[in-house]
Amino acid sequence: EDQVTQSPEALRLQEGESSSLNCSYTVSGLRGLFWYRQDPGKGPEFLFTLYSAGEEKEKERLKATLTKKESFLHITAPKPEDSATYLCAVQAIGSARQLTFGSGTQLTVLP
Amino acid sequence: ETGVTQTPRHLVMGMTNKKSLKCEQHLGHNAMYWYKQSAKKPLELMFVYSLEERVENNSVPSRFSPECPNSSHLFLHLHTLQPEDSALYLCASSQDLRGEPQHFGDGTRLSIL
């Protein structure tokens, strides 16, 4: 059974204080790993897809990396507007219809 | 309009009511999904449609009945719901079922009295 575990559950940072969110996964064969951002009262917003170990993607202050067991979402010099819940999901080979989601990391960036 | 639009945004209903949730995507995608999001729990996939054909039903109770009349529209018909069905119901779409990212609407917040 595919599993995704995100840590920490919640993270409070001061503005400008860089940190990383972790997504550990167990999947029979990885087709893709997805990162989403979800603001309160909104649906998840797609950020990145990673397909193979060693791959990295960047967008503004966010950088996602992937190994064979986990993915990290690095946040460099965060701003209060980066506050949101960040969700990680995996899609297994042979199960293209299914995304298995983690429970998310709730990030709060204080001014 | 662009993206994925869900209506209504909020719905309060009694256990004996019948209501429907609507989703419309303006992205030209061929696959659409219904998810349930409960507090502190991961998103749960409910149904998947590809080219208007249901291809996945994740052991969802029959009180939830999906309908996909065309590739742009998806409905979730609700009947005789239980209090534990109170949640955020999210619709998503993707280009196909081959690993493309899914794009979500903002959901319908459903409360069962």
Side-chain angles (χ1 to χ4, degrees):
Chain A
E1 183 181 336
D2 302 334
Q3 287 193 326
V4 177
T5 303
Q6 292 189 246
S7 61
E9 288 187 17
L11 181 62
R12 292 167 67 92
L13 300 174
Q14 289 295 134
E15 184 172 2
E17 180 186 1
S18 301
S19 189
S20 297
L21 313 183
N22 178 262
C23 172
S24 297
Y25 64 90
T26 303
V27 66
S28 52
L30 182 69
R31 176 184 289 274
L33 183 141
F34 302 83
W35 281 100
Y36 288 86
R37 168 193 171 127
Q38 186 172 22
D39 293 298
K42 299 280 191 177
E45 175 189 350
F46 170 69
L47 293 174
F48 305 109
T49 309
L50 301 168
Y51 292 105
S52 57
E55 190 175 359
E56 299 182 353
K57 293 273 180 75
E58 285 189 67
K59 179 180 179 180
E60 297 181 352
R61 294 177 292 281
L62 301 177
K63 179 180 176 180
T65 62
L66 180 65
T67 73
K68 289 186 178 180
K69 294 183 178 180
E70 57 192 350
S71 176
F72 290 94
L73 185 65
H74 307 278
I75 304 177
T76 302
K79 298 182 178 181
E81 53 262 42
D82 295 322
S83 297
T85 296
Y86 290 86
L87 301 173
C88 171
V90 297
Q91 191 170 54
I93 293 172
S95 182
R97 304 156 183 178
Q98 295 265 14
L99 283 183
T100 301
F101 278 85
S103 297
T105 292
Q106 185 175 2
L107 174 67
T108 303
V109 182
L110 303 171
Chain B
E1 288 196 60
T2 58
V4 180
T5 304
Q6 291 187 242
T7 54
R9 291 297 315 279
H10 302 273
L11 179 62
V12 180
M13 56 187 287
M15 293 171 60
T16 58
N17 291 158
K18 291 184 181 180
K19 295 287 185 182
S20 296
L21 310 185
K22 179 183 176 182
C23 175
E24 183 174 1
Q25 60 97 0
H26 307 270
L27 299 169
H29 289 167
N30 294 315
M32 296 187 77
Y33 312 77
W34 279 117
Y35 286 87
K36 176 182 179 182
Q37 188 175 35
S38 304
K40 304 298 183 184
K41 292 178 67 176
L43 271 74
E44 300 172 54
L45 179 66
M46 300 175 72
F47 301 103
V48 180
Y49 276 82
S50 176
L51 297 171
E52 299 126 57
E53 179 184 350
R54 189 190 310 179
V55 296
E56 196 80 38
N57 176 345
N58 269 8
S59 303
V60 179
S62 59
R63 57 185 183 269
F64 295 91
S65 175
E67 178 190 1
C68 187
N70 55 62
S71 59
S72 298
H73 293 86
L74 185 65
F75 294 89
L76 187 63
H77 303 299
L78 315 173
H79 173 54
T80 319
L81 295 192
Q82 304 299 309
E84 61 265 28
D85 297 323
S86 297
L88 181 67
Y89 289 84
L90 291 161
C91 173
S93 70
S94 64
Q95 183 60 51
D96 49 41
L97 297 178
R98 294 191 296 248
E100 294 298 315
Q102 296 176 18
H103 297 267
F104 287 81
D106 286 335
T108 295
R109 173 67 63 184
L110 177 64
S111 298
I112 307 300
L113 300 178

